[in-house]
Amino acid sequence: MDILQPLSAILLVLGLLVMALVILRKRGAASFHLPRLAGTGSRRLEVLERVALTPQHALHLVRIGERSLVVATGPSSSYTVCEATPEAGK
């Protein structure tokens, strides 16, 4: 019985942290990526970076194969802004 109280306190804190992360992710203030399993193949589409402009609008830097694009998204649309050039030194 002595272990029940600390264990429940740890589970409560972990639950609150997960809930806070989900809320922040929905608002665009946080993002997380689960690690991929080895051997699942290479991905052709990858989101490199996301910048929230408003709660409903954002800019995404997306890599598709060898190309990098800047994509603007909103509640009812998305469109390509421009093709990004590789950074110097990379």
Side-chain angles (χ1 to χ4, degrees):
M1 284 295 179
D2 291 334
I3 197 166
L4 188 60
Q5 187 176 4
L7 185 61
S8 62
I10 290 171
L11 291 175
L12 176 67
V13 169
L14 288 176
L16 289 173
L17 287 173
V18 167
M19 195 167 53
L21 184 59
V22 168
I23 290 171
L24 288 173
R25 184 175 185 204
K26 284 185 179 183
R27 291 183 177 214
S31 65
F32 59 90
H33 304 283
L34 297 175
R36 293 186 342 194
L37 298 175
T40 58
S42 62
R43 298 176 79 182
R44 291 192 59 215
L45 177 65
E46 183 179 4
V47 178
L48 301 175
E49 193 171 345
R50 178 184 181 275
V51 177
L53 302 175
T54 68
Q56 297 179 347
H57 298 86
L59 289 175
H60 301 267
L61 179 59
V62 180
R63 182 171 45 212
I64 303 171
E66 296 296 319
R67 295 176 63 191
S68 295
L69 304 171
V70 177
V71 178
T73 59
S76 63
S77 65
S78 63
Y79 58 93
T80 303
V81 176
C82 66
E83 185 165 352
T85 58
E87 293 182 36
K90 283 194 173 185

